[in-house]
Amino acid sequence: MNFFAVNIFSVNIDAATQALDNNWALLGYIVAAVLFIFGIKGLARPRTAVRANQFGATGMLIAVVVTLLVTGTVGIEWIAAGMVVGAGIGVLAATRVQMTSMPELVALFNGFGGGASVLVGMASFIETVEHSRDDVQTNASAALAILIGAVTFTGSIIAFAKLRETLHWNGFSGIQILSAVLASIAVTCGALMVAQPDNNVWLWLLVGVAAILGLSAVLPIGGADMPVIIALLNSLSGLAASAAGFVLDNPVLIIAGALVGASGLILTQIMCVGMNRSLPAVLFKPTPAATASGGDEIYEGKVTSTSPEEVAMLLETAERVAIVPGYGLAVAQAQHAVRDLTRRLAGMGVDVVFGIHPVAGRMPGHMNVLLAEAEIDYELLLEMDNINPTFESTDVTIVLGANDVVNPSARNDPSSPIAGMPILDVDSSNVVVVVKRSLSPGFAGIPNPLFAADNTVMLFADGRQAVVDITNSLEA
C-alpha cells in the first residue's frame, strides 16, 4: 500500500509541477504579448517610439527565455550566455552602424526573419514526415512559412543591395509576368507538399521557386518606391513568423508575427498613399526610368547661388521658418547641426517647424528617426497634410538634402515618372533655400525645376557644414 501511495503521490506531484510550469509559461507569453501590443501602439508616435522599442525588445526576450525553459532546449547557463552575446552584438550594431545605413540594416533584419521562418518550416515538415504523422495543419503552416519566408529573405537581400546602390537593374519588360508565373508555381508546390508529404521534391521545389520569386519581385523596384517595398517586406517577415508560430504551436510567435504583419500592411498602405500609387502598381508597374537629361535645359542660366551669410540674413528677418529634411540630411549627418540651428532660431523668436514627407529617405520614418536622435521636439515635426497649407505663410523654407519629395514635376508635369505623387509644396514659400552638394537628381533620377525657380536660392555645400556656417553667421 505504501508503495502504491508513494507512486500515486509522485504522479500527482509531477502533474502539479507540469501544470505549474504550463501556467508560468502561459503567464510569460501573455506578458510578452501585452508588451508587443504596447510596443506596436507606441511606435505610432515619435514621442513614445523609444519606449515602444524597449517594450517590444523586452517582450521578445521574455518570450524566448520562457520558450527555451519550457521546452528544455538548453540550460539556464546557455540562456545567460546567449543574452550576453546578443547584448554585445546589439551594442556593437547600435554604436557602429551609421544612420545612413539604417535602411539597409532594416532590410537585413527583414531578410533574417524570413530566413528563420523557412528553416523552422522545413525542419518541422521533415520531422512530421519522418515520424509518419499526418498533420495537415502543421504541413500547411510549414508550406506557408516557407513560401512567405523565402520570398522575404531573397527580396530583402535585393532591397539591401539596391539601398546600398551596389545593384542596378536595367531589366526586361517581362519580369512581372515571370513573377506571376513563379507565384502560381510556388502556390502549386505548396499545395502538393501538403497533399503528398512523403515526396520531398515538392518541399525543395517550393524553397527554390519562392526564393527566385523574391528576386524577381524586388529586382525591378526602384526610385521612390523603395520605402513601400521595405514596409511590405517587414510585413511579410511578420506573416512568415506567424505561420511558423502555427508550425511550432507557439501562441506568442503567432501573436507577435500577426502584429508585425498587420502593422506592416498598414504602413505599406500609408506609404502607397504618400506615393499616390496602389500596391499592385508598385509591384507590377514600377516607376518608369527617367528619360530626361541631366537637367541642363531646366537649370542653365536660371540657378541662383547663395552663401551661409546671405541665408543667415534671410533668417534674421523671418518670422516663420520650415525645414524639409531628406536623405541628404542622413548622408551629411547634419541632424545635430540642424538641432542647434533650430534652437538658435527659436531663441530669436522665430517659429520653426519641420515638414516630413512619408517617403522621405530610404525607409518609412527615416527622417523621424534622424531628428529624434538629435532630440528635436516631436511637436515641431509636421506631416505633409498638416504643413502644406502653411507654406504660403512661411517666410523661409530650407530644403536640406530632399529632392523628389519637393519636386513640382510631380504636380505640374503629367509625363514625369513621379507624376501624381503628393509632394511638399515648398515652392509656395516666400523664399526657398536648397542645401545640396550639386544639382544631381534624387533617387528617382530626374531633374528638379524647384532649383531654378525664381524664389529659390541654392547653397552648394556639405549639408552639415552648411548648417553649421549658417548658425555661426547668426551668432556673429
Side-chain angles (χ1 to χ4, degrees):
M1 290 292 296
N2 290 335
F3 173 77
F4 288 109
V6 168
N7 276 278
I8 292 172
F9 180 74
S10 176
V11 170
N12 289 337
I13 288 293
D14 290 342
T17 301
Q18 184 177 2
L20 183 61
D21 289 342
N22 290 337
N23 288 336
W24 277 111
L26 182 60
L27 178 61
Y29 286 153
I30 291 174
V31 171
V34 170
L35 288 172
F36 290 149
I37 293 171
F38 277 110
I40 293 292
K41 184 177 185 299
L43 289 173
R45 294 182 177 274
R47 177 178 291 279
T48 57
V50 174
R51 188 172 61 220
N53 271 320
Q54 294 170 349
F55 283 160
T58 303
M60 184 55 68
L61 176 62
I62 293 173
V64 171
V65 171
V66 168
T67 299
L68 293 176
L69 290 176
V70 169
T71 59
T73 305
V74 294
I76 189 68
E77 67 278 1
W78 285 104
I79 295 176
M83 292 172 62
V84 171
V85 173
I89 295 173
V91 170
L92 183 64
T95 54
R96 296 288 296 275
V97 176
Q98 298 296 322
M99 291 304 298
T100 49
S101 301
M102 196 59 65
E104 293 97 304
L105 184 63
V106 171
L108 284 181
F109 283 162
N110 293 337
F112 289 155
S117 298
V118 172
L119 295 177
V120 168
M122 292 178 63
S124 298
F125 178 79
I126 293 172
E127 181 185 21
T128 300
V129 173
E130 287 180 348
H131 288 80
S132 300
R133 295 198 305 267
D134 187 15
D135 191 337
V136 176
Q137 176 181 324
T138 298
N139 292 345
S141 299
L144 195 60
I146 293 170
L147 171 57
I148 301 175
V151 170
T152 305
F153 177 72
T154 55
S156 296
I157 298 301
I158 295 300
F160 169 81
K162 280 179 165 288
L163 289 168
R164 288 188 66 86
E165 299 185 0
T166 57
L167 175 63
H168 301 280
W169 172 256
N170 295 324
F172 59 93
S173 58
I175 192 168
Q176 287 80 23
I177 298 176
L178 173 63
S179 295
V181 172
L182 289 172
S184 300
I185 295 174
V187 171
T188 302
C189 290
L192 291 172
M193 178 178 134
V194 176
Q196 303 174 13
D198 293 332
N199 191 346
N200 283 339
V201 171
W202 303 122
L203 168 64
W204 296 108
L205 275 177
L206 176 60
V207 173
V209 173
I212 298 173
L213 174 60
L215 298 176
S216 65
V218 180
L219 270 174
I221 307 297
D225 287 335
M226 284 309 297
V228 179
I229 295 302
I230 293 297
L232 179 61
L233 289 170
N234 177 254
S235 175
L236 291 179
S237 70
L239 295 176
S242 185
F246 281 102
V247 173
L248 299 175
D249 195 23
N250 188 302
V252 74
L253 187 55
I254 296 172
I255 293 172
L259 286 172
V260 173
S263 60
L265 284 176
I266 294 172
L267 184 58
T268 301
Q269 177 60 22
I270 292 173
M271 295 294 103
C272 287
V273 171
M275 290 292 300
N276 193 31
R277 284 162 60 78
S278 65
L279 184 57
V282 172
L283 294 174
F284 299 107
K285 190 179 178 182
T287 303
T291 57
S293 63
D296 292 342
E297 73 282 359
I298 294 177
Y299 303 142
E300 189 174 4
K302 302 176 184 177
V303 174
T304 303
S305 300
T306 189
S307 65
E309 293 77 18
E310 292 177 348
V311 175
M313 293 174 61
L314 290 171
L315 297 177
E316 287 172 349
T317 60
E319 296 182 0
R320 179 180 175 84
V321 172
I323 300 176
V324 175
Y327 183 66
L329 173 73
V331 173
Q333 293 288 289
Q335 60 268 30
H336 294 93
V338 170
R339 175 201 58 199
D340 295 339
L341 174 61
T342 301
R343 292 177 178 175
R344 173 61 179 163
L345 291 173
M348 297 166 53
V350 179
D351 180 22
V352 183
V353 295
F354 288 80
I356 308 297
H357 193 284
V359 297
R362 299 292 175 86
M363 70 174 184
H366 197 181
M367 295 303 101
N368 300 76
V369 172
L370 281 174
L371 298 176
E373 182 193 29
E375 299 180 347
I376 293 175
D377 291 340
Y378 302 120
E379 290 79 6
L380 302 180
L381 310 185
L382 303 183
E383 296 180 1
M384 179 174 58
D385 292 340
N386 295 327
I387 196 172
N388 266 348
T390 69
F391 278 121
E392 291 185 355
S393 59
T394 300
D395 298 304
V396 180
T397 294
I398 301 176
V399 178
L400 183 55
N403 202 323
D404 299 324
V405 297
V406 295
N407 192 332
S409 295
R411 186 183 60 226
N412 303 330
D413 183 4
S415 64
S416 172
I418 61 172
M421 184 182 84
I423 63 168
L424 292 164
D425 298 324
V426 299
D427 52 336
S428 300
S429 306
N430 186 28
V431 178
V432 180
V433 178
V434 177
V435 181
K436 276 178 64 70
R437 287 179 176 271
S438 66
L439 291 172
S440 60
F443 207 42
I446 58 176
N448 191 340
L450 174 70
F451 302 163
D454 293 337
N455 61 335
T456 298
V457 291
M458 301 286 301
L459 179 55
F460 295 107
D462 170 76
R464 189 190 68 81
Q465 190 59 49
V467 175
V468 169
D469 291 342
I470 292 171
T471 305
N472 291 337
S473 298
L474 286 171
E475 296 174 346

